[in-house]
Amino acid sequence: MSEHNTHIDEHRDDEASKLGMWLFIFTELLLFGGLFLVYSIFRAQYPANFHESSLELSVTIGVINTVVLLFSSMTIAMSITAIQKKNKKLTLALIGVTILMAFIFLVNKYFEWGHKFEHGLYPGSELMQLLERGHHLYFSLYFFMTGLHALHIVIGMVLLVIAYVKVNKGSIKHDKFVFLENGALYWHLVDLIWIFLFPLLYLIS
Amino acid sequence: MDNNGSHITEYKVLIRILFILLLCTFITIEITSFDLAAFTVTAALLIAGFKSYLVLSYFMHLKYESLLLRILVSMVFLLFFVIVLITFIDYSFR
């Protein structure tokens, strides 16, 4: 260790922290993977119904949300570059932009879901009970998968807000930023899941 | 490997990756607007696979992580692939 005032915790192990985060990400991948599997089996069983239902979704909102998530994924990756280069201001700005993008995503989702709720289409509604089995399954999966994904967005936002505060306070800095790294990994996971959700639910018909 | 010696991904690289990801998204939208049945699904999933490869290697930094981590991640995807395969074999021959 050098003579500088860099205090390194005796029990600190960034590699292990990251490995732990990855192990958690694996469980998340398999959770969504299971849902994708359920989706594909039912899609194989009710191809016509799944096709008709997917036409109900707005591709425009889907595209906007995809662009928003991809962009936010880049900004959070950049925030790590910024902290490594000791640029605290830029790090804060980039985390801030990412949180803003997450918020825009949720606002979009609110309008998308709200539109369906207005037409009486929501889990457990009377309309849902009357739908054909294939349509019912499609919309149940749609609400469950995008809902679970949106929950992950909210959790990711909380993590990023904590990271923002920590960077601001100086407890995350150029030689100690594993919390930001793990938060970013979680945020990329959210993006990764959306990369598959978007074509499967919105595009393939 | 501690963080002091770890790899720094340049801003330029990240911007380039975002550009490729956006391009892939629009290619997916274009492809799925034609109705080519099974080909459309395969193409969309292949592009999604390529996109996730880019996110994993560059945004999630896997390209510069230890071999252990890279093997672990590949194993998880392999495991998922095997699960899908077994489920579909079961589904097709029921």
Side-chain angles (χ1 to χ4, degrees):
Chain A
M1 210 163 66
S2 60
E3 286 294 302
H4 303 297
N5 285 330
T6 45
H7 169 73
I8 293 179
D9 222 343
E10 213 183 318
H11 298 293
R12 195 177 130 200
D13 186 349
D14 290 348
E15 274 299 283
S17 303
K18 261 196 275 182
L19 184 61
M21 190 64 195
W22 271 102
L23 290 177
F24 171 63
I25 285 176
F26 294 163
T27 69
E28 294 272 30
L29 285 174
L30 290 176
L31 167 69
F32 276 93
L35 288 169
F36 282 126
L37 194 54
V38 173
Y39 168 89
S40 4
I41 293 286
F42 282 134
R43 192 191 146 82
Q45 250 175 27
Y46 304 98
N49 283 355
F50 268 54
H51 167 72
E52 291 148 21
S53 300
S54 71
L55 295 178
E56 300 276 317
L57 300 190
S58 157
V59 176
T60 320
I61 290 191
V63 173
I64 295 171
N65 271 353
T66 306
V67 174
V68 164
L69 271 195
L70 288 176
F71 182 71
S72 72
S73 221
M74 181 195 69
T75 51
I76 200 67
M78 278 181 163
S79 78
I80 289 171
T81 308
I83 196 98
Q84 280 172 313
K85 292 188 171 181
K86 303 180 188 179
N87 193 339
K88 183 176 164 182
K89 245 190 193 161
L90 187 59
T91 309
L92 286 174
L94 287 165
I95 299 174
V97 169
T98 311
I99 296 169
L100 181 71
M101 289 293 139
F103 186 71
I104 293 174
F105 182 94
L106 288 178
V107 169
N108 262 335
K109 194 100 271 174
Y110 168 80
F111 283 117
E112 194 188 6
W113 276 29
H115 187 69
K116 293 199 170 44
F117 282 23
E118 273 170 28
H119 290 77
L121 197 62
Y122 51 89
S125 73
E126 275 173 43
L127 180 67
M128 281 282 270
Q129 311 296 332
L130 297 173
L131 291 178
E132 271 179 73
R133 198 165 154 71
H135 291 294
H136 189 131
L137 282 168
Y138 178 88
F139 282 111
S140 300
L141 278 168
Y142 162 76
F143 280 118
F144 188 68
M145 288 168 92
T146 57
L148 191 63
H149 180 261
L151 178 69
H152 280 76
I153 297 261
V154 175
I155 296 168
M157 272 174 94
V158 172
L159 281 176
L160 293 180
V161 168
I162 296 170
Y164 186 94
V165 173
K166 283 188 169 219
V167 172
N168 202 20
K169 269 196 335 204
S171 60
I172 293 178
K173 50 187 191 296
H174 69 96
D175 60 351
K176 190 186 171 206
F177 55 87
V178 76
F179 185 92
L180 179 61
E181 257 185 314
N182 285 344
L185 279 180
Y186 192 84
W187 191 253
H188 295 309
L189 165 79
V190 170
D191 184 32
L192 207 57
I193 293 163
W194 187 258
I195 285 177
F196 287 94
L197 269 186
F198 172 62
L200 285 179
L201 288 175
Y202 292 76
L203 293 178
I204 300 170
S205 43
Chain B
M1 272 210 297
D2 66 351
N3 278 322
N4 297 321
S6 75
H7 179 268
I8 298 180
T9 314
E10 286 302 324
Y11 299 118
K12 257 195 296 188
V13 177
L14 295 172
I15 292 172
R16 218 174 292 149
I17 297 296
L18 175 70
F19 184 73
I20 301 172
L21 286 171
L22 289 175
L23 194 69
C24 287
T25 306
F26 288 105
I27 293 173
T28 314
I29 296 166
E30 282 306 308
I31 285 182
T32 48
S33 63
F34 302 113
D35 189 22
L36 298 166
F39 172 75
T40 314
V41 182
T42 317
L45 285 181
L46 280 178
I47 296 174
F50 176 65
K51 281 169 79 179
S52 53
Y53 166 78
L54 288 180
V55 171
L56 284 164
S57 353
Y58 292 94
F59 286 175
M60 293 174 99
H61 237 243
L62 265 187
K63 205 169 190 277
Y64 312 103
E65 295 293 350
S66 63
L67 187 64
L68 167 74
L69 206 50
R70 279 183 290 169
I71 292 174
L72 279 177
V73 175
S74 336
M75 284 302 174
V76 169
F77 280 93
L78 188 67
L79 174 67
F80 179 62
F81 181 71
V82 170
I83 295 171
V84 171
L85 199 69
I86 292 173
T87 313
F88 267 90
I89 291 172
D90 179 47
Y91 175 72
S92 327
F93 295 102
R94 231 164 232 262

